[in-house]
Amino acid sequence: MYGLKYVFMILPIISPLFNIQKCEPLHSIVTSTGDGILIGLYTCVQSIDDDAFENSGLDSVSIASTVVSIGQDSFSGSSVLEKIQFFGDAPSVVGVDAFDDVETGAEAYVSNTATGFGDEGSTWNQLTIVKVGGAY
């Protein structure tokens, strides 16, 4: 989808996939790895819709601490998705098969102070939990 390898929630080009109301950007970056897209980070993304990144070519995703809901099949079929970084506690709602058929051994990187993901090495929604030091 869009030839991207990395996504930081959220991309203005695909904002209809998110529940956004009057978001204020934190900052923007431009990738120089051939992806060539302006990526905006926003503070108020609360949900990722069903099928938002289904069958995408993403290999890494960072999810803001404000995200409380990840829809059904949101990242399903993203067969090269191997790293998901969460900048907060586990979303309170995760739809069926949200991370189904991602890369075998895909990992969720979470703060060691984050709640709701389980212990280091455990499985959360088909992702292996990797705890990293400190709070984000």
Side-chain angles (χ1 to χ4, degrees):
M1 170 180 238
Y2 305 109
L4 299 175
K5 291 201 174 251
Y6 301 95
V7 170
F8 296 90
M9 296 299 147
I10 66 152
L11 298 176
I13 193 170
I14 54 175
S15 62
L17 301 174
F18 302 96
N19 196 2
I20 304 169
Q21 297 176 347
K22 298 180 182 177
C23 294
E24 294 295 324
L26 294 174
H27 64 280
S28 297
I29 62 170
V30 178
T31 64
S32 60
T33 60
D35 299 329
I37 189 166
L38 182 65
I39 301 176
L41 283 76
Y42 291 81
T43 59
C44 65
V45 177
Q46 294 182 337
S47 65
I48 302 171
D49 283 350
D50 293 351
D51 309 312
F53 296 100
E54 185 175 19
N55 298 314
S56 74
L58 299 171
D59 63 6
S60 178
V61 175
S62 295
I63 299 179
S65 62
T66 54
V67 173
V68 295
S69 174
I70 298 176
Q72 179 176 324
D73 293 316
S74 291
F75 297 95
S76 177
S78 299
S79 60
V80 296
L81 182 56
E82 62 184 348
K83 178 182 177 183
I84 300 91
Q85 185 173 16
F86 289 88
F87 286 97
D89 294 334
S92 55
V93 176
V94 179
V96 175
D97 295 331
F99 297 99
D100 191 41
D101 295 326
V102 295
E103 185 167 304
T104 301
E107 297 174 320
Y109 290 81
V110 304
S111 167
N112 61 8
T113 60
T115 61
F117 291 103
D119 297 326
E120 171 87 21
S122 65
T123 301
W124 178 84
N125 288 289
Q126 301 180 30
L127 304 172
T128 301
I129 298 302
V130 177
K131 297 238 177 174
V132 295
Y136 292 120

